[in-house]
């Protein structure tokens, strides 16, 4: 499928930036694919598979297989073009492989909770621990040094927020933060990987606060830009309905949640995806393509985490399942609060380098009460590829079903935020 939104821009004195349908990149996807393929054997990635034909949607979805991976062994990638989906599947597998604790020279130094607070100067609640955690001053946590992009200093962050998987036995300590890969990202350059990781952290925060209190607005399918308006009409003829909601957030960035509902009663009746970006079209593309990826991953059945959604209905009597599904659909397809796509705030990406976009975001976060943006750069030894983990204290994260909640989530849930 032709990606009409792909173009190149160059900021004054800056590196070249390619605007893809669902991301900003430093080079063409063919070069990224070549670099990623060269890393497959060393990272235990055995193959990349096109699973697009398993579904009717027509949006490209690929999977990459990492048989000995910890936590997740089948990784999916999506996009408006086949090569973008292929690259996405491979890059996710690379991220997971590089962040595996078994590949690290060290799991970090141990600090007591009291010492960590003194060294870091941040409350641990700002790192959004599990609700069940009862911190003790003498409890010791493994920590890694990260670069604070705002202050130009090094800060110590619990290793469980950097490496994955981070279960208790891996670190020899109680589980404090749950298992999440939020902020784990890769790219052709350090700036590219950093921007992707930072935007994902902000996206997960926006979605978490959305679940605390729904302030979303309906975007009519007929109001969507190309090619999604056409795709929505095509899918509707197949009995698959697309709902798009704009998610307001504390960063004033375009964020969308897209849901695909299969009204035919097929096995995958509901699949969703979300996306946040500087550019509203890119954010929309990420959300819709991720919904298609989620649906196809369930059809494919290869991912380790696809049974979680269906498990919630397994115990219900058959006659109650339809009502439960209807209750889930209602908020996604509600049209009382609306916004036109053209009215969604969007920021220009042309004329700015990836480094400038990162710098702008870090500075803006500081002004909005997020003074620390920490980055871990993995020493992966990959030729032409970078993998990072971004941690932004005070940002919320419910990804992977973790039972985490910070002060902002609590305030929003009780109507004070």
């Amino acid at each position: 499928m032709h990606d009409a939104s792909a173009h190149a821009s160059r900021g004054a004195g800056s590196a070249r930036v390619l605007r893809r349908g669902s991301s900003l990149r430093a080079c063409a996807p063919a070069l990224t694919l070549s670099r990623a393929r060269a890393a497959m054997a060393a990272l235990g990635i055995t193959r990349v598979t096109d699973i697009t034909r398993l579904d009717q949607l027509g949006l490209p979805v690929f999977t990459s297989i990492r048989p000995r991976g910890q936590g997740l062994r089948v990784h999916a990638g999506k996009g408006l073009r086949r090569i973008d989906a292929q690259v996405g599947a491979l890059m996710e597998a690379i991220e997971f492989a590089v962040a595996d604790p078994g590949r690290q020279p060290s799991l970090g130094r141990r600090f007591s909770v009291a010492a960590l607070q003194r060294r870091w100067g941040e409350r641990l609640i700002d790192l959004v621990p599990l609700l069940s955690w009862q911190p003790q001053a003498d409890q010791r946590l493994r920590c890694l040094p990260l670069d604070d992009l705002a202050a130009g200093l090094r800060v110590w962050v619990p290793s469980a927020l950097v490496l994955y998987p981070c279960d208790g036995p891996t670190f020899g300590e109680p589980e404090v933060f749950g298992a999440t890969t939020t902020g784990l990202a890769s790219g052709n350059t350090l700036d590219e990987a950093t921007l992707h990781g930072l935007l994902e952290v902000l996206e997960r925060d926006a979605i978490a606060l959305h679940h605390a209190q729904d302030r979303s607005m309906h975007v009519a399918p007929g109001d969507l830009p190309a090619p999604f308006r056409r795709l929505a009409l095509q899918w509707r003829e197949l009995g698959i309905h697309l709902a798009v909601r704009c998610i307001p957030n504390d960063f004033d960035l375009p964020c969308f949640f897209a849901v695909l509902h299969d009204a035919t009663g097929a096995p995958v009746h509901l699949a969703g995806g979300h996306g946040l970006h500087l550019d509203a079209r890119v954010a929309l593309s990420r959300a819709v393509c991720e919904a298609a990826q989620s649906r196809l991953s369930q059809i494919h059945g290869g991912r380790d985490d696809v049974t979680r959604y269906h498990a919630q209905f397994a115990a219900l009597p058959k006659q109650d399942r339809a009502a439960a599904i209807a209750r889930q659909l209602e908020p996604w397809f509600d049209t009382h609060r609306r916004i036109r796509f053209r009215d969604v705030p969007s920021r220009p990406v042309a004329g700015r380098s990836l480094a400038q976009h990162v710098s702008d975001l870090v500075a803006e976060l500081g002004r909005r009460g997020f003074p620390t943006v920490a980055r871990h750069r993995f020493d992966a030894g990959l030729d032409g590829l970078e993998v990072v983990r971004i941690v932004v204290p005070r940002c919320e994260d419910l990804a992977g079903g973790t039972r985490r909640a910070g002060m902002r989530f609590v305030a929003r849930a009780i109507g004070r935020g």
Side-chain angles (χ1 to χ4, degrees), residues 304-384:
D304 309 86
D305 54 357
V306 297
T307 59
R308 190 182 305 128
Y309 173 78
H310 295 282
Q312 64 186 308
F313 300 108
L316 293 176
K318 187 174 182 180
Q319 64 271 20
D320 294 337
R321 293 178 189 173
I325 293 171
R327 285 194 297 271
Q328 283 199 338
L329 289 173
E330 184 177 359
W332 299 119
F333 286 84
D334 180 80
T335 59
H336 287 92
R337 292 190 301 267
R338 303 186 184 192
I339 188 171
R340 300 197 66 174
F341 182 82
R342 69 185 184 189
D343 295 327
V344 175
S346 185
R347 304 189 185 187
V349 296
R352 306 287 287 172
S353 70
L354 293 169
Q356 288 170 324
H357 285 307
V358 171
S359 179
D360 290 346
L361 274 177
V362 170
E364 182 172 344
L365 286 172
R367 293 191 293 270
R368 291 175 181 263
F370 300 85
T372 302
V373 178
R375 177 180 68 194
H376 180 76
R377 182 183 188 181
F378 288 94
D379 184 13
L382 302 176
D383 186 15

Side-chain angles (χ1 to χ4, degrees), residues 179-239:
T180 175
T181 58
T182 298
L184 180 61
S186 57
N188 297 280
T189 67
L190 182 59
D191 290 324
E192 180 184 309
T194 301
L195 181 61
H196 292 167
L198 181 52
L199 289 172
E200 182 178 72
V201 170
L202 304 186
E203 173 190 307
R204 299 286 173 82
D205 178 271
I207 298 302
L209 292 182
H210 162 76
H211 287 298
Q213 187 179 95
D214 185 355
R215 300 176 179 176
S216 64
M217 294 168 283
H218 172 75
V219 184
D223 192 41
L224 297 177
F228 301 105
R229 180 172 58 250
R230 172 178 54 81
L231 289 172
L233 293 174
Q234 291 177 355
W235 295 341
R236 189 178 184 88
E237 293 177 357
L238 299 172

Side-chain angles (χ1 to χ4, degrees), residues 103-144:
R103 297 186 59 88
Q104 311 309 313
S106 169
L107 296 180
R109 294 172 54 187
R110 289 188 184 274
F111 293 101
S112 69
V113 167
L116 181 60
Q117 288 176 318
R118 287 196 302 269
R119 283 175 173 267
W120 195 36
E122 294 269 5
R123 296 181 305 165
L124 285 185
I125 191 65
D126 287 342
L127 292 176
V128 194
L130 294 173
L131 287 168
S132 59
W133 184 49
Q134 299 294 325
Q136 305 295 325
D138 60 349
Q139 182 179 357
R140 299 177 69 81
L141 300 177
R142 289 189 182 273
C143 300
L144 289 167

Side-chain angles (χ1 to χ4, degrees), residues 19-184:
R19 179 184 180 276
R20 307 302 305 166
S22 58
S23 62
L24 298 181
R25 296 287 182 186
C27 64
L31 179 55
T32 310
L33 181 61
S34 175
R35 291 169 172 170
R37 282 193 173 279
M40 288 177 63
L43 297 178
I45 305 168
T46 57
R47 67 183 187 276
V48 186
T49 305
D50 183 357
I51 63 171
T52 308
R53 295 183 301 277
L54 295 178
D55 200 5
Q56 309 174 73
L57 298 180
L59 278 184
V61 176
F62 277 68
T63 60
S64 58
I65 314 300
R66 198 168 53 99
R68 297 189 178 184
Q70 301 297 314
L72 193 64
R73 297 176 177 85
V74 180
H75 305 269
K78 74 283 186 183
L80 292 174
R81 304 193 316 165
R82 294 179 72 256
I83 192 168
D84 295 323
Q86 192 173 8
V87 167
L90 257 179
M91 295 294 269
E92 181 183 282
I94 289 172
E95 294 161 10
F96 276 65
V98 168
D100 192 302
R103 297 186 59 88
Q104 311 309 313
S106 169
L107 296 180
R109 294 172 54 187
R110 289 188 184 274
F111 293 101
S112 69
V113 167
L116 181 60
Q117 288 176 318
R118 287 196 302 269
R119 283 175 173 267
W120 195 36
E122 294 269 5
R123 296 181 305 165
L124 285 185
I125 191 65
D126 287 342
L127 292 176
V128 194
L130 294 173
L131 287 168
S132 59
W133 184 49
Q134 299 294 325
Q136 305 295 325
D138 60 349
Q139 182 179 357
R140 299 177 69 81
L141 300 177
R142 289 189 182 273
C143 300
L144 289 167
L146 277 67
D147 295 318
D148 181 352
L149 302 183
L153 303 172
R154 305 215 89 183
V155 293
W156 289 91
V157 173
S159 302
L161 289 172
V162 179
L163 309 178
Y164 182 87
C166 56
D167 56 344
T170 301
F171 294 99
E173 60 191 35
E175 190 172 11
V176 176
F177 299 101
T180 175
T181 58
T182 298
L184 180 61

